[in-house]
């Protein structure tokens, strides 16, 4: 980013709209040592603050969770709360990416010691792909068990797409007024879940938005865990208990959302007994989302959990397919044809 370019760490997030980076500076007058790289605006000839009278500084919901405002320098200030309670706030600016023809609007947030930046990839008009006029992108997330954790990200056509299975996205008119619906998300027509040879008895209706928007099933690369509404979660849990109940960590719950967990010593054996998990969509499309110990994710030292949480504990009644269930597969977002493609792969060490 910038001219000359500065290399930045950003989370590829299909569940977010506005991209943002941490900008060089201080917090409460004190220098903060970041875990990730800051962007230094003073070194870039293409960096520009958006003034308060900019049209982008008068956004409409759902662009920002709080109204924009003017800072003392007459620069546009914004604040955005995420579903997990974290806050990003700072100035709206424009800056050039090495792979964009012209600068795009992003957030230049106050530095913190914790967060990477965000590359917002949903369908909103302020997202990176909307501003850069990119109609197709894809990524391959490597499995966490491998030593090489480098995946691959395409903007535009993917040479592997001839082998992908495609699912049509659900879209919603702007006029639809459903309080629990995220119209900017990538919504998939999910139908069910299979574990091994057992088809779970989950009503397909729980994966489809009702008139309020509850039940929407989104695919979100920025969320680690997958989240399911209670009916779906309880059915998954019942099958896991049937298969490996005595091996589960008794009385343990991770972050108040996930309780299908195992001590590290039990994880490999538990994964083998669980076997394969498949997510099912319209038109008979089934996607293998994990098998064996690959179904489990490390949540703290010595503890692994099936990477599924209860969405109700987050205060939402939606289903969300997180990146733990997008490992070792291509996921392609084809906006022109309103579809998402999936293709099995070993993502570590892939070459473009």
């Amino acid at each position: 980013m910038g001219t000359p370019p500065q290399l930045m760490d950003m989370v590829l997030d299909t569940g977010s709209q506005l991209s943002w980076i941490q900008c060089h500076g201080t917090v409460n007058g004190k220098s903060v040592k970041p875990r990730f790289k800051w962007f230094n605006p003073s070194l870039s000839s293409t960096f520009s603050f958006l003034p308060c009278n900019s049209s982008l500084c008068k956004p409409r919901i759902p662009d920002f969770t709080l109204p924009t405002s003017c800072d003392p320098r007459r620069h546009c200030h914004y604040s955005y709360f995420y579903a997990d309670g974290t806050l990003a706030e700072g100035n709206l600016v424009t800056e050039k990416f090495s792979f964009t023809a012209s600068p795009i609007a992003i957030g230049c947030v106050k530095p913190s010691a914790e967060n990477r930046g965000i590359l917002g990839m949903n369908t909103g008009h302020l997202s990176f792909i909307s501003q850069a006029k990119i109609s197709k992108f894809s990524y391959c997330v490597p499995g966490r068990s491998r030593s090489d954790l480098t995946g691959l990200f395409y903007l535009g056509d993917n040479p592997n797409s001839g082998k992908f299975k495609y699912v049509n996205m659900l879209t919603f008119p702007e006029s639809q007024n459903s309080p629990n619906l995220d119209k900017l998300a990538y919504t998939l027509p999910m139908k069910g879940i299979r574990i091994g040879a057992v088809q779970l008895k989950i009503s397909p209706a729980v994966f489809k938005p009702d008139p309020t928007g509850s039940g929407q099933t989104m695919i979100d690369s920025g969320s680690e865990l997958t989240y399911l509404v209670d009916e779906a979660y309880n059915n998954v849990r019942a099958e896991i208990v049937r298969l490996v109940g005595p091996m589960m960590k008794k009385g343990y719950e991770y972050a108040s959302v996930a309780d299908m967990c195992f001590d590290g010593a039990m994880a490999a054996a538990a994964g083998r007994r669980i076997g394969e998990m498949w997510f099912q969509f319209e038109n008979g499309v089934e996607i293998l989302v994990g098998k064996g110990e690959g179904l489990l994710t490390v949540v703290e030292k010595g503890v692994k959990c099936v990477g599924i949480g209860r969405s109700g504990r987050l205060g939402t009644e939606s289903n969300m397919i997180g990146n733990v269930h997008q490992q070792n597969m291509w996921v392609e977002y084809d906006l022109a044809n309103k579809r998402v493609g999936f293709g099995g792969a070993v993502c570590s060490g892939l070459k473009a």
Side-chain angles (χ1 to χ4, degrees):
M1 295 184 59
T3 308
Q6 299 175 44
L7 190 62
M8 300 300 299
D9 291 309
M10 302 180 80
V11 175
L12 177 67
D13 189 356
T14 59
S16 290
Q17 179 174 191
L18 185 73
S19 302
W20 57 262
I21 51 173
Q22 292 195 58
C23 286
H24 190 270
T26 59
V27 176
N28 297 326
K30 296 180 180 179
S31 180
V32 175
K33 185 178 181 180
R35 287 175 58 200
F36 307 105
K37 296 175 183 176
W38 285 344
F39 182 80
N40 190 337
S42 67
L43 300 180
S44 174
S45 63
T46 47
F47 178 90
S48 179
F49 286 100
L50 276 175
C52 295
N53 61 3
S54 164
S55 61
L56 290 180
C57 202
K58 301 177 178 63
R60 58 192 182 278
I61 298 297
D63 295 341
F64 302 102
T65 52
L66 295 171
T68 53
S69 60
C70 257
D71 71 11
R73 298 171 296 173
R74 303 293 298 168
H75 296 156
C76 186
H77 181 272
Y78 83 99
S79 302
Y80 197 97
F81 278 105
Y82 290 87
D84 63 2
T86 56
L87 170 69
E89 64 172 334
N91 291 111
L92 285 179
V93 305
T94 58
E95 184 53 288
K96 192 176 185 304
F97 286 69
S98 58
F99 37 77
T100 58
S102 57
I104 67 170
I106 60 172
C108 181
V109 308
K110 297 176 181 179
S112 74
E114 296 301 320
N115 295 317
R116 292 178 173 93
I118 293 285
L119 191 65
M121 301 291 283
N122 76 6
T123 64
H125 75 286
L126 287 181
S127 73
F128 171 76
I129 54 168
S130 294
Q131 293 190 70
K133 295 180 171 56
I134 294 167
S135 62
K136 186 185 293 183
F137 66 93
S138 55
Y139 53 75
C140 202
V141 178
R144 290 169 174 78
S145 61
R146 293 178 175 267
S147 56
D148 179 5
L149 296 180
T150 302
L152 200 56
F153 174 38
Y154 277 102
L155 293 170
D157 291 332
N158 186 317
N160 305 284
S161 64
K163 300 177 182 179
F164 294 173
K165 297 177 180 178
Y166 286 95
V167 177
N168 291 326
M169 291 188 283
L170 301 179
T171 57
F172 310 95
E174 281 204 24
S175 59
Q176 183 167 337
N177 187 18
S178 301
N180 300 320
L181 185 70
D182 183 352
K183 288 183 279 192
L184 305 182
Y186 298 100
T187 303
L188 300 183
M190 191 161 165
K191 293 293 188 182
I193 298 174
R194 177 164 65 86
I195 298 178
V198 176
Q199 180 68 44
L200 302 187
K201 295 179 180 179
I202 306 171
S203 168
V206 308
F207 298 115
K208 187 177 181 179
D210 66 15
T212 73
S214 295
Q216 180 180 17
T217 299
M218 302 166 277
I219 182 166
D220 184 354
S221 65
S223 172
E224 179 178 10
L225 297 184
T226 288
Y227 291 91
L228 298 176
V229 297
D230 280 351
E231 181 181 334
Y233 185 92
N234 291 339
N235 273 271
V236 171
R237 191 180 190 281
E239 180 62 10
I240 299 297
V241 168
R242 186 184 75 82
L243 293 168
V244 292
M247 305 171 77
M248 293 170 68
K249 189 173 175 64
K250 299 296 186 287
Y252 179 85
E253 191 172 46
Y254 169 66
S256 300
V257 297
D259 62 356
M260 295 179 282
C261 302
F262 308 86
D263 286 317
M266 291 283 192
R272 286 193 297 270
R273 286 198 190 179
I274 296 170
E276 298 178 340
M277 184 180 293
W278 299 76
F279 287 177
Q280 300 165 317
F281 300 93
E282 279 186 352
N283 301 322
V285 174
E286 280 194 320
I287 305 300
L288 177 64
V289 296
K291 61 181 178 179
E293 197 172 359
L295 281 169
L296 310 179
T297 188
V298 176
V299 296
E300 62 176 274
K301 188 175 181 180
V303 180
K304 290 187 174 184
C305 297
V306 175
I308 299 176
R310 296 180 185 271
S311 61
R313 299 284 179 87
L314 297 178
T316 178
E317 291 300 324
S318 299
N319 304 288
M320 185 186 302
I321 302 171
N323 63 52
V324 71
H325 290 128
Q326 300 177 50
Q327 296 176 59
N328 285 324
M329 69 173 77
W330 283 110
V331 184
E332 181 185 80
Y333 298 76
D334 181 352
L335 281 74
N337 294 303
K338 298 180 180 179
R339 62 183 187 171
V340 174
F342 299 94
V346 178
C347 298
S348 298
L350 282 176
K351 304 298 182 185

